[in-house]
Amino acid sequence: MREILPALRHWYARSAPFGLATVVGVSRSAPRDPGAAMAVGPDDEVVGSVSGGCVEGAVFELAQEVVESGEARLETFGFSDDDAFAVGLTCGGEITLLVRPVTPERDPTFGAVAETVLDGRPVTVATVTDGPAPLGATLAVWPDRVAGTLGTGGLDAAVTADARGELALGSTGVRHYGPRGERREDDVSVFLHSFAPPPRMLVFGAIDYAAAVARVGDFLGYRVTVCDARPVFATPRRFPPGLEVVVDWPHRYLRATGTDERTVICVLTHDPKFDVPLLEVALRRPAAYIGAMGSRRTHDERTKRLTEAGLTDGELSRLRSPIGLDLGARTPEEVAVSVAAEMVALRWGGSGTPLTATRGAIHPQS
């Protein structure tokens, strides 16, 4: 979608109708991931791809039809061996496409969304793909505002909360709701397309606890990097496949690495010669969460060293130490759960209190 947005924005600015096909569901060995898009605009110009060539001819016709009718369509394409000339996927997978007409009148938020994405800023676009809600209706959700509607206020509110959660992780997928946003129902399907890179998790100290924290971070959708100055410990075979493992002094690596307000930093080195210089850098950098492992005695000694290094009370207040929530965790995996729980609670303002001891809405309206 990002690659074809310049063309779409140009058509939209000219008020030229175009048909936009988006992959909203896949199974098995489908050639493109959810969010892949193809559009057919003025003079039958085509941009983008949804299958690498297998079904683009049929999608071209569908896009023309939805522009003509003004009605969105949901179509599924899969493999068929009954007819060698049938439209389908040669890979044996299956894709579901939402094909909808786009004009300033039908989708007044599209221009603002395109500008946001092309500027590299975050936004999630929620689109109804099935159920008793207007097919193709869109709701654009930014971190600080929303635009558009999916049909009812309750549905808009529930989707807005989930869309911001997906945006925080940079993930895309389908969620299900009741017609008024009921969370225990699945009548309405909504495709949440997030335009944001996955947030980073930087784990320092290649110990067993780091491996467990890295696995949980990967599960939560973070782009995880593990860093340790000791090459004997910082080896890829000790960590889940696909995670970046770096051999470098932690403070030096962090100083050369960009962070932002979504970045998570977990300091598990448990050694003053590593963690004090590292925290000097970390606590002066943008980050959503900075946690450090250690006993209360270690924490007190570390805080003293950091104060002597010139860190202010405000900077030190950002440090979550000892790291994690009090779950009674013992094993590395249990500690990783407690760290993840604290990260989530800090992100959304949760108290960490058991829900049986709280009252009111579980998910306050944003």
Side-chain angles (χ1 to χ4, degrees):
M1 177 67 87
R2 292 179 187 272
E3 289 113 8
I4 68 174
L5 268 178
L8 305 191
R9 183 170 65 169
H10 177 64
W11 295 341
Y12 188 85
R14 292 168 46 199
S15 297
F18 59 90
L20 178 62
T22 306
V23 177
V24 297
V26 300
S27 67
R28 301 189 297 279
S29 54
R32 301 297 303 273
D33 292 327
M38 167 182 161
V40 179
D43 302 319
D44 294 337
E45 182 181 354
V46 178
V47 293
S49 170
V50 291
S51 75
C54 298
V55 301
E56 269 70 6
V59 176
F60 175 82
E61 295 179 0
L62 279 171
Q64 291 178 316
E65 291 172 9
V66 300
V67 169
E68 182 68 25
S69 68
E71 301 292 333
R73 298 259 301 269
L74 189 71
E75 297 286 344
T76 297
F77 296 92
F79 177 77
S80 173
D81 58 3
D82 296 330
D83 183 350
F85 296 98
V87 174
L89 302 179
T90 57
C91 60
E94 184 176 274
I95 60 172
T96 298
L97 305 176
L98 177 70
V99 189
R100 64 186 182 93
V102 179
T103 64
E105 294 74 28
R106 292 190 179 103
D107 190 349
T109 68
F110 187 88
V113 169
E115 181 179 353
T116 297
V117 176
L118 292 172
D119 286 347
R121 293 178 284 119
V123 63
T124 293
V125 179
T127 308
V128 174
T129 60
D130 199 11
L135 183 65
T138 61
L139 177 73
V141 181
W142 288 268
D144 58 351
R145 70 188 193 280
V146 300
T149 181
L150 303 181
T152 68
L155 182 58
D156 288 348
V159 171
T160 295
D162 288 345
R164 287 188 172 137
E166 298 293 293
L167 189 58
L169 293 174
S171 56
T172 288
V174 175
R175 293 290 187 97
H176 303 281
Y177 308 87
R180 295 177 178 80
E182 299 90 341
R183 295 197 178 265
R184 294 179 62 86
E185 299 181 23
D186 59 1
D187 300 317
V188 180
S189 299
V190 179
F191 180 64
L192 302 180
H193 191 178
S194 296
F195 293 92
R200 297 202 66 181
M201 171 184 276
L202 305 176
V203 181
F204 295 96
I207 59 176
D208 289 346
Y209 290 95
V213 169
R215 280 195 295 272
V216 170
D218 184 55
F219 173 75
L220 291 175
Y222 288 89
R223 175 189 162 201
V224 181
T225 299
V226 179
C227 175
D228 198 301
R230 301 162 294 183
V232 68
F233 295 118
T235 60
R237 68 175 179 273
R238 302 186 68 228
F239 297 93
L243 268 61
E244 181 182 30
V245 180
V246 174
V247 179
D248 199 352
W249 278 83
H251 70 282
R252 185 168 60 192
Y253 175 76
L254 181 59
R255 189 176 289 126
T257 300
T259 63
D260 59 26
E261 288 73 14
R262 301 186 301 152
T263 303
V264 166
I265 300 174
C266 297
V267 180
L268 312 179
T269 45
H270 207 237
D271 185 330
K273 70 174 176 290
F274 292 125
D275 58 20
V276 171
L278 171 60
L279 287 169
E280 283 187 59
V281 178
L283 293 171
R284 290 168 171 156
R285 300 287 295 276
Y289 175 90
I290 304 171
M293 177 175 280
S295 66
R296 298 194 186 281
R297 178 179 177 180
T298 298
H299 169 73
D300 291 341
E301 293 177 351
R302 187 163 49 210
T303 300
K304 180 181 177 182
R305 290 172 182 263
L306 291 169
T307 300
E308 292 171 350
L311 270 76
T312 67
D313 290 342
E315 290 167 338
L316 290 171
S317 70
R318 300 177 62 206
L319 180 60
R320 316 293 291 192
S321 174
I323 197 169
L325 294 185
D326 179 14
L327 305 182
R330 296 289 188 273
T331 68
E333 292 75 18
E334 290 173 344
V335 169
V337 171
S338 79
V339 173
E342 185 176 44
M343 287 162 42
V344 173
L346 186 62
R347 181 196 301 157
W348 299 115
S351 66
T353 304
L355 290 174
T356 54
T358 65
R359 297 289 182 271
I362 294 175
H363 301 285
Q365 299 294 336
S366 330

